[in-house]
Amino acid sequence: MIISKKMQDSLNEQVVHELHSHNAYLAIAGFIDSLGLKVLSRRFFEQADEERTHALKIINFIMDVGATVAVGAIPTTTNKFKTVEEAVEASLKQEERVTAQINNLMALAQKEKDYATASFLQWFIDEQVEEIASMSDLLSLIRRAGPANILLVEDRILREESDKHPT
Ligand code: MG
């Protein structure tokens, strides 16, 4: 194996964090669906899928460098939300936590002169910039619309999606 035992264990821990995010987004998607907000709910189901992809990406890297995959227990996630704003705030906090975790992994890679892992992690560093930006934008939009106009948020997301994928 071309990475340290400590790096192997830290990457395996990150797999758990990504799967925890996956579960947290499923819970949020379910809550939002229960309010009848199908467009916003779909966005969180897609976000959940992305987190699973992140976990798989790390698992593949662990295998590629000849280290051992060990998937630990996934901490429980909250299913109790009062408002959409609260759920999206929790999502932004979650992305900030993951950003700190990825930064810590990068710091470890640099300390160990583990350039293979550092190069691999660069994608996650860039990804987190995107994740924080899009979640902050969504939270601002939700706050601006307010609870009475939450359907405008759905309209906006739909419009953005059709701009991205014109039919
Ligand atoms: Mg992630």
Side-chain angles (χ1 to χ4, degrees):
M1 117 172 146
I2 60 167
I3 63 171
S4 71
K5 164 92 170 51
K6 187 171 179 187
M7 183 56 83
Q8 168 190 281
D9 295 347
S10 303
L11 289 169
N12 275 317
E13 265 173 43
Q14 192 59 36
V15 169
V16 169
H17 295 319
E18 300 293 341
L19 292 174
H20 183 222
S21 293
H22 170 75
N23 287 352
Y25 284 133
L26 288 181
I28 290 169
F31 165 70
I32 290 174
D33 179 85
S34 76
L35 304 175
L37 301 167
K38 299 282 179 190
V39 175
L40 197 52
S41 165
R42 192 179 65 222
R43 179 150 167 185
F44 278 90
F45 277 117
E46 286 166 2
Q47 191 63 40
D49 278 348
E50 265 194 36
E51 301 309 331
R52 188 174 170 279
T53 306
H54 294 166
L56 285 172
K57 220 174 158 80
I58 298 167
I59 286 173
N60 274 311
F61 179 77
I62 294 171
M63 295 189 300
D64 282 349
V65 295
T68 304
V69 173
V71 181
I74 321 263
T76 185
T77 190
T78 183
N79 288 292
K80 289 206 180 0
F81 305 99
K82 287 194 196 77
T83 61
V84 174
E85 183 179 342
E86 187 196 44
V88 176
E89 269 169 5
S91 304
L92 180 57
K93 281 215 184 77
Q94 162 124 327
E95 290 303 335
E96 287 168 351
R97 265 198 307 277
V98 170
T99 299
Q101 290 157 357
I102 299 289
N103 284 344
N104 287 339
L105 283 172
M106 183 60 107
L108 177 64
Q110 287 174 345
K111 186 167 152 249
E112 295 188 346
K113 296 191 165 53
D114 176 352
Y115 300 117
T117 303
S119 169
F120 168 73
L121 288 171
Q122 187 59 50
W123 182 89
F124 283 85
I125 300 269
D126 298 339
E127 174 71 5
Q128 282 312 117
V129 173
E130 287 302 310
E131 300 274 45
I132 298 268
S134 66
M135 203 58 82
S136 304
D137 286 352
L138 181 61
L139 185 56
S140 306
L141 191 62
I142 287 165
R143 284 179 177 156
R144 176 163 290 247
N149 290 312
I150 194 77
L151 286 173
L152 291 178
V153 174
E154 293 233 306
D155 287 348
R156 168 73 79 91
I157 293 172
L158 267 185
R159 231 180 309 135
E160 281 175 0
E161 283 172 0
S162 66
D163 285 351
K164 259 185 255 164
H165 315 283
T167 46

